Amino acid sequence: MFDFPYFITMLPDIWKAFQETVVMIGIALAISIFIGLPLGVLLYVTDKGLFWENRFVKNIFGFAVNLVRSIPFIILLVALFPLTKILVGTTIGPVAASVSLSVAAIPYFARLVESSLRDIDKGVIEATIAVGATPWMIIKDVLLPEAKSTIIRGITLTVISLVAYSAMAGTIGGGGIGDLAIRFGYYRYDNTIMISTVVILIIFVQLIQLIGEQFAKSLDKR
Amino acid sequence: MLEFQNITKIYESKNKQVVGVDNVSLKINKGDIFGIVGYSGAGKSSLLRCVNLLERPSNGKVLVDGIDLTQLSSSELRTARLKIGMIFQHFYLISQKTVGENIAFALRAAKTPKNEIHKRVKELLAMVGLTDKEDVFPAQLSGGQKQRVGIARALANNPSILLCDEATSALDPKTTLSILKLLKQINEKLGITIVLITHEMNVVKEICNRMAIMQDGKVIEEGAVYDIFAQPIKPLTQEFINSVVSFEIPDEILKDVKGQVIKLLFKGEVAGEGVISDTMQRFDVKGNFLHGTIEYIQERPLGIFVMELQGEKSTVDEAKKYMEQRGAVVEVVKHV
C-alpha cells in the first residue's frame, strides 16, 4: 500500500507542495492579522456600554463579517476569482489562492479577537477609564495586553482553519498539499501520496497547535 | 468640595424603569472621610459612580470643586478624572502588566514626562509599602497588596478626591484594618477627601468622620459619625449601628429584673466623669449593670450603659434627673 522508494522519488514534489501551502497560509495569515485584529477591536469597542459605542458602525461591520462567514469557502473561492485577477493578475498559484484565503480568514479571526476581548473583566476597563486614560491608551495598554494570550490561541485556530481551506484552494489551481493529494491520491488512486499528505498535514497541525499553546501560556501572567 | 445636587439615576430595562438613586443631595467637605452605608441595591454604588461619571446621572448635577462634571466634553472629563482617584472591591489591575507598569499607566494618562514616571512610581510604592514589588505581576500579590497597588494607581496624579467602592469588602479583617489605616494616613498627610461606600459599619466607625445611610436610592440619614452612633434615628440606621455596638439584652434576663431598666448615653468628656458612681453615692438606689461599653469614635469616647435601678420610685426618678443634669441621656428601656 505504501511504496517507500516511490515516496522518496516524490519527495521533491511533496516539498514543493508543502512550500506552496506555507506561502499561501503565510500571506493569508499576515493579512488576516493585519486587518482582522483592528476589525475585531472595532467590533468590540463599538459594542453597547463601551467607550466608542456606535450601533451603526457595529451593525455594518458585524453584518459584513457575518456575510463573508456564511458563504461556503469553496463558493467564496470561485466568486472571488475576478478580484483575485485584479489584485494578482492570475487565479492560478499559491499567491492567487491567498486572496480568497485572506478574505475568509479576516472575519473569522476578527470574531475570535472580539470574543477574546469580551473575556476581559469590564471592571479592569472601567478602572482605567476612571484613571483618565484615553481610548487609544486603553486599547493599546489594556485590551490588547489583557487579551494577548487568547488572541495567540485565536491565531493558532486561524492557521489551522487556513490549512483546511488551503487544501480546498489547491483543488482549483492554488497548488500546495491539497492539490497534490487530489491529483495523485484521488484522481490516480495513489495511496502513497495520499497517506504522505495526510500525515504531513496531521504533523503540521499538531505542531502549530503545540507551538501556539506554548507561546500563549508563556505570555500569560495571570 | 464635592456636592451632589438632586442626583437621580434611572436604569431603563426592557419594559420597566428601576430607580437606582432617587433625588440625592449631599455635600462632602474637603478633607472629609465620608462613608455611605447601605445594603446592596440601596444605590450607594451608583451614587459613587456618578462622581466620576462612570455612570451618568439621569438628572441632577455633580459638582467637584464647583465644576459641574456633567457639562464637560469627553476630553475635559478625562482631565477631571485624573484628579478623582478610585479603588475597587476587586482591585481591577491590569493582570498582564507589572505593579510598576500599572501605576505608570495612570501617570501616562496624565501625560507625565517619561523621565519623571519612574521616580514617581517609586514614591507611590513607598507610600503604600510595596517598594520591593515593582516588577511583580498582580497575580503574585495577596488581596491586601493588590489593593495597595490600586491605591497607588489612584493616587498617582495627586487627586483631590479618592472614591472607594467597597474597597475592603473582599479582604480579611486584619488586612481591612491595615488598608483603612493607610487610607486614613493618606487623608491626613495629603488632605485628600475620601468617599467610601460599604455595608460594613466597622469600616465607617474606624475611619469616617461623616456618614450617610442609604435605602431604596434615598439618603435617609446623614451627619457626623459620632452623632449617628450616639443617637441613630431611623430604624435602618439603628440596625446598622447594632451590627457593631449591640445592646440587646436577652428576654430571659429582662424578665427577672425587678427594678427599672434604663439606658444611659454619655457623650464625649461626660463619659469619663464618673456620673454613675456619684449618683449611687447620692441617692438611695441600687444599680446593677446589664450591659455597657465605651466606644471610641473619632478618638472621642461614647459611653453606653444599660442598667437596672432599684429603689423607691421617687428616688429613682430623682436619680435619673440628676444624671440628666450631669449630661447623660437617659432612656427608659423597661418600667418596673
Side-chain angles (χ1 to χ4, degrees), chain A residues 19-148:
Chain A
Q19 280 175 311
E20 284 171 354
T21 297
V22 170
V23 167
M24 59 183 132
I25 291 176
I27 295 173
L29 182 67
I31 293 173
S32 58
I33 292 175
F34 189 69
I35 300 175
L37 187 65
L39 182 58
V41 172
L42 186 75
L43 286 171
Y44 178 70
V45 297
T46 53
D47 203 7
K48 199 164 178 287
L50 274 133
F51 48 82
W52 276 339
E53 179 175 342
N54 187 327
R55 239 172 131 173
F56 183 71
V57 172
K58 168 95 190 167
N59 287 344
I60 294 255
F61 283 95
F63 178 76
V65 162
N66 291 342
L67 183 84
V68 176
R69 292 204 61 204
S70 57
I71 302 171
F73 182 65
I74 194 89
I75 295 171
L76 188 72
L77 207 55
V78 180
L80 288 177
F81 269 175
L83 177 71
T84 309
K85 187 101 188 170
I86 295 168
L87 288 176
V88 191
T90 171
T91 59
I92 307 291
V95 179
S98 66
V99 173
S100 40
L101 283 176
S102 307
V103 172
I106 288 167
Y108 180 68
F109 182 59
R111 281 289 185 217
L112 289 174
V113 169
E114 187 195 0
S115 86
S116 305
L117 296 172
R118 238 177 252 289
D119 282 345
I120 302 172
D121 193 332
K122 280 254 168 65
V124 176
I125 300 169
E126 211 159 53
T128 52
I129 292 174
V131 145
T134 59
W136 176 238
M137 268 186 85
I138 295 173
I139 292 172
K140 189 167 70 68
D141 288 329
V142 184
L143 297 184
L144 294 179
E146 291 293 273
K148 194 168 50 186

Side-chain angles (χ1 to χ4, degrees), chain B residues 14-281:
Chain B
K14 277 265 150 57
N15 40 23
K16 61 173 182 186
Q17 293 186 331
V18 179
V19 180
V21 180
D22 191 356
N23 197 19
V24 167
S25 296
L26 266 183
K27 268 187 194 172
I28 296 170
N29 299 317
K30 194 170 162 41
D32 269 353
I33 302 186
F34 196 98
I36 301 173
V37 183
Y39 288 120
S40 42
K44 53 193 193 314
S45 194
S46 305
L47 184 66
L48 189 79
R49 291 156 56 85
C50 282
V51 176
N52 57 2
L53 297 191
L54 282 181
E55 266 171 51
R56 261 182 198 275
S58 315
N59 224 325
K61 286 182 183 174
V62 189
L63 302 178
V64 175
D65 295 322
I67 297 164
D68 181 3
L69 295 190
T70 58
Q71 300 299 316
L72 299 182
S73 71
S74 60
S75 79
E76 286 170 328
L77 177 60
R78 272 202 295 277
T79 314
R81 278 174 175 156
L82 298 174
K83 295 295 173 192
I84 307 172
M86 188 168 190
I87 58 174
F88 304 84
Q89 179 175 6
H90 299 296
F91 326 119
Y92 295 143
L93 303 174
I94 306 170
S95 65
Q96 307 291 347
K97 294 198 176 258
T98 62
V99 166
E101 286 166 345
N102 265 282
I103 300 169
F105 179 86
L107 293 165
R108 285 193 288 120
K111 300 196 172 60
T112 311
K114 263 211 170 94
N115 51 358
E116 287 170 27
I117 288 182
H118 191 241
K119 194 175 137 251
R120 180 77 181 133
V121 168
K122 289 251 183 234
E123 269 172 36
L124 287 157
L125 283 172
M127 179 161 41
V128 298
L130 291 177
T131 319
D132 53 337
K133 301 288 185 201
E134 185 176 347
D135 299 320
V136 162
F137 286 93
Q140 291 152 270
L141 299 177
S142 70
Q145 290 172 325
K146 282 182 201 165
Q147 196 56 287
R148 283 168 188 270
V149 179
I151 292 172
R153 173 173 70 177
L155 296 181
N157 298 314
N158 298 309
S160 56
I161 298 173
L162 177 63
L163 308 173
C164 309
D165 188 354
E166 297 274 9
T168 57
S169 301
L171 304 173
D172 63 59
K174 199 173 150 221
T175 315
T176 294
L177 224 57
S178 78
I179 293 291
L180 293 179
K181 234 179 178 169
L182 177 63
L183 289 176
K184 185 144 200 173
Q185 225 176 56
I186 287 162
N187 168 262
E188 281 165 0
K189 260 198 208 156
L190 309 173
I192 295 175
T193 309
I194 296 180
V195 185
L196 60 87
I197 63 169
T198 182
H199 58 269
E200 295 168 311
M201 217 47 194
N202 265 323
V203 169
V204 175
K205 188 179 146 230
E206 202 64 45
I207 64 168
C208 295
N209 64 325
R210 295 196 337 118
M211 68 183 291
I213 292 101
M214 282 189 79
Q215 186 178 24
D216 300 329
K218 295 189 186 72
V219 168
I220 57 164
E221 202 165 339
E222 178 207 341
V225 171
Y226 189 91
D227 295 340
I228 289 183
F229 265 79
Q231 278 161 309
I233 297 162
K234 296 277 167 43
L236 179 72
T237 316
Q238 288 165 355
E239 202 177 304
F240 270 113
I241 305 289
N242 278 342
S243 70
V244 266
V245 275
S246 171
F247 292 96
E248 295 278 314
I249 296 163
D251 285 343
E252 285 295 298
I253 305 282
L254 219 51
K255 207 173 63 196
D256 295 339
V257 168
K258 291 181 186 65
Q260 193 177 73
V261 180
I262 58 167
K263 186 172 168 188
L264 294 164
L265 188 73
F266 300 100
K267 289 200 216 174
E269 300 70 48
V270 187
E273 284 174 3
V275 175
I276 295 176
S277 66
D278 287 355
T279 311
M280 296 301 120
Q281 278 173 10

